[in-house]
Amino acid sequence: MFAAAVFTAFAIVAELTTPAGHVDTTAERSLRAYVVAEHARVCHGDVLTGQRKMTALARYRSRDMALHHYFSHEDRRGRHVGERFHAWRIRYSAAGEDLAWNAAPTETSGQLAFGQLMDSTTHRQLIRDCRYTRVAVGAYRFEGRTVFTVLLKRP
């Protein structure tokens, strides 16, 4: 069982790094900071916290969209956020997903993505929804652009 867990973890890490693209942790940190700050501002100081499994899923989603040239809340298998949480064994009572992409440099892409999300009523409402207590951000840089996935949930 331990060997299977190690192999699975290795396979996920290997899958997230390819010669063609990479996880952009600088952009992830930037967008996450903006999302957490906005949520706290609106929700009277309530701070969103992270979760590793959600971060792995957010990175997987961003990578999948970047490498397979699509941009949709529906993945290539036709699943939506709740179905993906279930498949990844992430427990939730409420879940949401925001997506953004841009071709800005790494240093400014997270800030630009946040602006894009806040310019959309639906995406802004999700970030400002005080029901959520957990957040994860995945950013994948590929062919000069960064694809972002923001996942929110309440356990």
Side-chain angles (χ1 to χ4, degrees):
M1 180 153 167
F2 175 74
V6 171
F7 176 76
T8 301
F10 177 76
I12 290 171
V13 170
E15 188 173 323
L16 293 175
T17 306
T18 67
H22 66 278
V23 171
D24 191 337
T25 57
T26 300
E28 286 178 349
R29 281 191 301 272
S30 174
L31 179 54
R32 185 180 189 285
Y34 282 108
V35 168
V36 167
E38 178 65 12
H39 183 85
R41 184 185 72 76
V42 173
C43 299
H44 311 291
D46 288 349
V47 178
L48 292 166
T49 58
Q51 185 180 30
R52 286 183 191 171
K53 197 181 269 192
M54 281 176 60
T55 299
L57 175 56
R59 287 175 173 168
Y60 176 83
R61 282 280 293 139
S62 293
R63 178 187 179 276
D64 191 58
M65 286 186 288
L67 295 180
H68 296 283
H69 302 284
Y70 75 98
F71 187 74
S72 174
H73 290 288
E74 184 176 291
D75 66 19
R76 293 180 298 131
R77 293 181 180 173
R79 297 180 304 184
H80 291 270
V81 64
E83 294 163 300
R84 286 188 294 274
F85 271 38
H86 180 73
W88 281 60
R89 294 187 168 94
I90 298 171
R91 294 182 182 193
Y92 69 95
S93 60
E97 176 184 71
D98 278 346
L99 304 175
W101 74 269
N102 63 63
T106 291
E107 297 75 22
T108 57
S109 64
Q111 180 180 11
L112 180 58
F114 180 72
Q116 292 168 320
L117 295 174
M118 295 307 286
D119 284 344
S120 161
T121 303
T122 334
H123 294 96
R124 182 175 56 248
Q125 287 173 341
L126 190 65
I127 291 168
R128 291 178 174 174
D129 188 331
C130 297
R131 293 178 302 161
Y132 296 115
T133 58
R134 303 280 192 271
V135 66
V137 175
Y140 197 81
R141 187 132 184 107
F142 179 68
E143 295 180 346
R145 65 186 177 121
T146 305
V147 178
F148 293 91
T149 302
V150 178
L151 297 175
L152 295 143
K153 82 164 191 167
R154 182 177 78 197

